[in-house]
Amino acid sequence: MSSSTARLPFDMPMNGILRFPRSDGSPKKRPTVTKENAPPGVLNYMELVPHDDKRNKDWRDKVGNFLMTLLPIDPARHVSYRIAEFPQHYALYSKPRMSGITEQRDDLYLYGSRYVNNFRSPAEFAFHALWLMMDPTLNVSNCECQWCTRTPQKELSRRLGTKVDHYSSGTDKQRSQYDASGFGEAGSDTPMASPVQDPAEEAQSKLRDNPPYRVGEMVWAHLRPPIVGESDDETLQCWPAIVLDVTTRPLWTGTSMDRQPAVKLRLLGVAYVAQVEAFDVLPYHAYALSPGLQSYMSNAKPENIVDASAFHRLSEIQVFPDSQHDQRPRQVTFDRGWPAWLKGLVASWWVRDRWSLSRTISLTAGEAVPPSLRAESRSASATPSGTHQPVAADAIWWGPEQIWVGDVVRLRRSAIVDSTILAFISNGAGGRGLFLKVKKIQARRVDNPRDVWLSGTLYETIPEQDADHSSPGSPTKIETGSGLDVSSLSSLVALPSLPDPLPDSLPDPPLGFKFKSVLSPTNTIFVSLESVAGRYYPYLLFSPVLGAIRKTNPVRPEQLMSLCGHAPGDVWPANLPPMHRERKEMWDELEEEVREFLMPRWKVGARALKAERRT
Ligand SMILES: [Zn+2]
């Protein structure tokens, strides 16, 4: 190579010893669970590998050798090279393998980088090490390592002349990863699916086995462990995502193959699809970001986002592993991940604020909503009437949720406009919540929520042991999403076909209660879309994620109780999405909308640096 040694940005090696002249390290970038702080019983902790340990020396030898193949200097003959130390604030850790006594080798991880959570081999670290040696500006966009550029390690290894790193996964998996996890406070007492004894365990099993999510809905994916920055505010606990599929995946329990409910997700702001354990997913309304994270996000600016392609590259991070058998720690750090997360958050606002009817058919005059309601909706609407054909719909995209004909939805108090109905509500039931079993969705206009009406049977809940003289129908299995397997969001407009006639069945009632129809089960009431509080999530309170995030989740317990039917809809109603937009159009516009929203904000006051290339 041609560079003159006088201009090299590092000191020439002496006796084969290379030294890093600078570091991107931070003392806070260390493993979450170490031998020192691991709770009793947690064995998958990280243990520091000291400088004089043979494994530490072996790593430094290899990094030195790789550097000598990459640096613009010629190695001296008969000299073996190594790095004297890892870069400042870096440290090597080992994680004991759990997969059995035959395999003695521990996995080693190099921690400390501000930009890459850890490196798993000297070859993986080689190009990052080269960047530290060569770039006095420490501009990470100059780093060519696998994690800073997402160049496949295969390609980098080819350039290094080494084999691709191979990792064999352990086999000590439990039925639910929560059972084995040291993370998540509720994780340790998550029961196995069977046999079930007490009602809470049974409720949790039901939630696990019947994930209540639907294809196309927006949810939160729990990050286990969270992505942690330098302060408490800089903590990503959940990632906004769109459900692509609700499925099961094979799971090795240690003795046999089992199936585990799983959800395939498009993480918003991230270019990759992830599949996670269904238990790691929360309904959108069950989580919100903390005020601290909110203020961090409104002030932070990523550097060097000069054009659309730089903006797009922010999304090229991997948040979840490719397979559930990959137990290695996550690579992405807070510094690397937050811009993508913020893109996802902005995208989630777009989804949250839009609604539309799906699969509509025109109605003839005779089928339209009752005249009394038509008169009322005319007065509520500012638009002249009579120009729109009434329609019936199978479903409503209602911000993050999709409400189907056949659902039992939570109602707001305003749903009961007819005061004579109030007289029929049982003592105390009004304080728990009212529900509508949706039989029909009809609209006088498709783009005004005041003109959309849901009709069906009104339900309340009464204590399980109380006598009920109505016939509420039999409980049924919770419906899950269809088996669509798509990664393009714009195709997420399909609906599973609804049975005709609809089964006269109800979801499981809130634990300890039963559904009772307020009027007779055949008595139909009409409810304006504005009076719907949102979907009903039986057993949601038993989600282990809610326990794990409860310290920072601003959604309060009584609001969670509302989502699962123990408190009225008015305690935690879904906000009326202000914009009418067809789903397909919304998905098609989303990426551009997010870019147009964020890029001007990120540019203001930001140093408009062009990526510097070293010579
Ligand atoms: Zn790098």
Side-chain angles (χ1 to χ4, degrees):
M1 299 183 203
S2 59
S3 303
S4 142
T5 51
R7 293 171 53 208
L8 287 174
F10 59 91
D11 293 335
M12 286 297 284
M14 303 278 284
N15 301 321
I17 304 293
L18 289 149
R19 291 176 195 282
F20 286 99
R22 60 194 71 83
S23 174
D24 68 330
S26 157
K28 292 179 178 161
K29 299 295 176 185
R30 290 296 163 89
T32 323
V33 180
T34 62
K35 192 178 186 182
E36 290 69 36
N37 69 15
V42 170
L43 296 175
N44 59 345
Y45 52 73
M46 294 280 185
E47 189 172 359
L48 190 71
V49 179
H51 186 263
D52 55 4
D53 188 291
K54 186 182 172 304
R55 295 168 297 171
N56 189 305
K57 183 177 169 299
D58 185 49
W59 251 72
R60 286 183 287 117
D61 285 349
K62 285 180 177 157
V63 172
N65 281 320
F66 284 136
L67 275 177
M68 289 310 292
T69 68
L70 296 170
L71 288 168
I73 52 174
D74 295 320
R77 252 181 296 180
H78 310 303
V79 174
S80 64
Y81 287 85
R82 82 165 66 121
I83 53 170
E85 310 275 352
F86 290 115
Q88 191 185 18
H89 300 310
Y90 275 56
L92 191 66
Y93 283 83
S94 74
K95 183 178 175 183
R97 281 207 175 167
M98 301 292 163
S99 47
I101 49 163
T102 52
E103 217 165 355
Q104 293 297 321
R105 201 174 69 101
D106 287 350
D107 292 311
L108 298 177
Y109 301 91
L110 183 62
Y111 275 84
S113 165
R114 215 177 277 275
Y115 301 104
V116 181
N117 190 46
N118 62 75
F119 298 94
R120 298 158 186 165
S121 70
E124 239 189 59
F125 178 56
F127 281 88
H128 201 79
L130 175 68
W131 166 62
L132 294 177
M133 294 293 276
M134 293 296 292
D135 185 10
T137 67
L138 272 187
N139 179 344
V140 72
S141 61
N142 291 332
C143 181
E144 294 179 83
C145 86
Q146 174 186 14
W147 300 108
C148 293
T149 62
R150 282 204 69 89
T151 306
Q153 181 62 33
K154 205 170 161 181
E155 162 63 17
L156 296 176
S157 293
R158 195 185 57 73
R159 286 156 64 184
L160 284 172
T162 178
K163 288 205 305 271
V164 177
D165 294 320
H166 182 71
Y167 175 83
S168 70
S169 69
T171 52
D172 55 329
K173 303 303 184 296
Q174 305 292 311
R175 176 178 170 85
S176 162
Q177 284 165 29
Y178 271 98
D179 299 336
S181 168
F183 307 108
E185 294 168 29
S188 56
D189 50 30
T190 301
M192 301 294 278
S194 64
V196 286
Q197 291 103 18
D198 79 72
E201 285 188 12
E202 191 181 344
Q204 194 170 50
S205 297
K206 284 188 173 171
L207 179 66
R208 172 174 45 212
D209 295 340
N210 302 286
Y213 313 106
R214 291 169 174 170
V215 171
E217 284 190 325
M218 183 162 68
V219 295
W220 293 99
H222 181 217
L223 301 172
R224 204 155 34 103
I227 299 175
V228 182
E230 309 232 327
S231 75
D232 284 351
D233 287 345
E234 301 168 34
T235 302
L236 305 179
Q237 284 189 305
C238 294
W239 202 291
I242 301 298
V243 175
L244 298 180
D245 196 9
V246 181
T247 180
T248 57
R249 61 186 186 184
L251 185 75
W252 176 248
T253 63
T255 49
S256 62
M257 287 305 288
D258 200 348
R259 314 272 316 159
Q260 176 189 57
V263 180
K264 192 172 164 192
L265 298 171
R266 160 59 57 83
L267 300 180
L268 289 170
V270 176
Y272 303 95
V273 167
Q275 198 186 69
V276 306
E277 183 179 353
F279 244 173
D280 274 317
V281 178
L282 281 181
Y284 179 78
H285 295 303
Y287 173 76
L289 56 157
S290 68
L293 183 60
Q294 214 162 352
S295 82
Y296 177 87
M297 288 292 169
S298 48
N299 294 317
K301 286 183 174 60
E303 287 180 25
N304 298 323
I305 308 305
V306 291
D307 56 19
S309 78
F311 185 81
H312 183 76
R313 277 198 302 277
L314 292 173
S315 295
E316 293 176 351
I317 58 166
Q318 187 161 15
V319 179
F320 288 94
D322 286 331
S323 120
Q324 78 262 40
H325 300 301
D326 187 347
Q327 293 291 73
R328 294 173 295 183
R330 187 191 294 120
Q331 301 282 159
V332 67
T333 60
F334 183 85
D335 288 2
R336 171 69 61 179
W338 76 259
W341 189 90
L342 182 53
K343 283 171 74 172
L345 182 73
V346 171
S348 78
W349 297 340
W350 251 259
V351 179
R352 181 197 64 195
D353 288 348
R354 275 148 188 81
W355 73 278
S356 64
L357 300 179
S358 21
R359 227 163 55 180
T360 53
I361 53 159
S362 294
L363 292 174
T364 61
E367 292 174 298
V369 292
S372 60
L373 294 174
R374 232 180 291 157
E376 195 172 318
S377 63
R378 186 177 296 126
S379 64
S381 165
T383 320
S385 61
T387 54
H388 294 275
Q389 176 84 359
V391 297
D394 279 347
I396 306 166
W397 286 109
W398 187 236
E401 298 183 333
Q402 191 182 38
I403 293 167
W404 289 348
V405 166
D407 274 357
V408 165
V409 295
R410 302 180 296 124
L411 292 181
R412 306 183 71 151
R413 195 64 178 198
S414 60
I416 312 303
V417 285
D418 182 351
S419 58
T420 56
I421 295 178
L422 292 174
F424 289 92
I425 293 172
S426 303
N427 230 349
R432 287 190 295 269
L434 294 170
F435 305 83
L436 181 75
K437 160 95 176 172
V438 182
K439 297 220 170 93
K440 278 183 182 164
I441 299 169
Q442 292 169 318
R444 216 171 52 81
R445 326 176 21 141
V446 295
D447 58 355
N448 187 338
R450 289 186 197 90
D451 287 338
V452 178
W453 294 86
L454 290 74
S455 58
T457 311
L458 181 67
Y459 284 96
E460 60 184 2
T461 58
I462 58 170
E464 222 165 25
Q465 64 276 13
D466 284 14
D468 172 17
H469 304 295
S470 74
S471 49
S474 55
T476 184
K477 198 170 174 292
I478 304 153
E479 299 138 300
T480 58
S482 77
L484 275 179
D485 184 9
V486 283
S487 27
S488 162
L489 293 178
S490 78
S491 59
L492 288 182
V493 287
L495 267 180
S497 57
L498 297 166
D500 184 30
L502 286 164
D504 186 26
S505 59
L506 293 168
D508 285 357
L511 200 62
F513 293 89
K514 58 187 173 186
F515 284 119
K516 174 179 176 292
S517 55
V518 174
L519 309 168
S520 95
T522 52
N523 206 323
T524 296
I525 71 154
F526 284 78
V527 168
S528 156
L529 183 51
E530 290 177 297
S531 297
V532 171
R535 285 189 60 195
Y536 160 60
Y537 298 94
Y539 308 124
L540 181 66
L541 275 186
F542 298 93
S543 161
V545 176
L546 290 175
I549 65 174
R550 70 173 183 276
K551 279 186 193 143
T552 52
N553 186 5
V555 179
R556 299 191 308 274
E558 65 270 27
Q559 294 171 325
L560 297 169
M561 305 253 292
S562 173
L563 292 178
C564 47
H566 285 282
D570 285 296
V571 170
W572 197 224
N575 285 327
L576 186 71
M579 291 272 295
H580 176 266
R581 197 76 181 139
E582 297 299 332
R583 273 290 128 147
K584 180 171 172 13
E585 287 153 17
M586 182 191 74
W587 295 133
D588 291 346
E589 299 159 350
L590 193 59
E591 168 84 19
E592 208 180 317
E593 300 264 25
V594 170
R595 191 174 68 236
E596 282 173 10
F597 178 87
L598 274 177
M599 277 198 57
R601 282 164 177 79
W602 281 349
K603 268 181 186 162
V604 174
R607 287 174 296 154
L609 290 178
K610 286 216 162 66
E612 301 163 17
R613 302 307 305 176
R614 56 176 172 269
T615 49

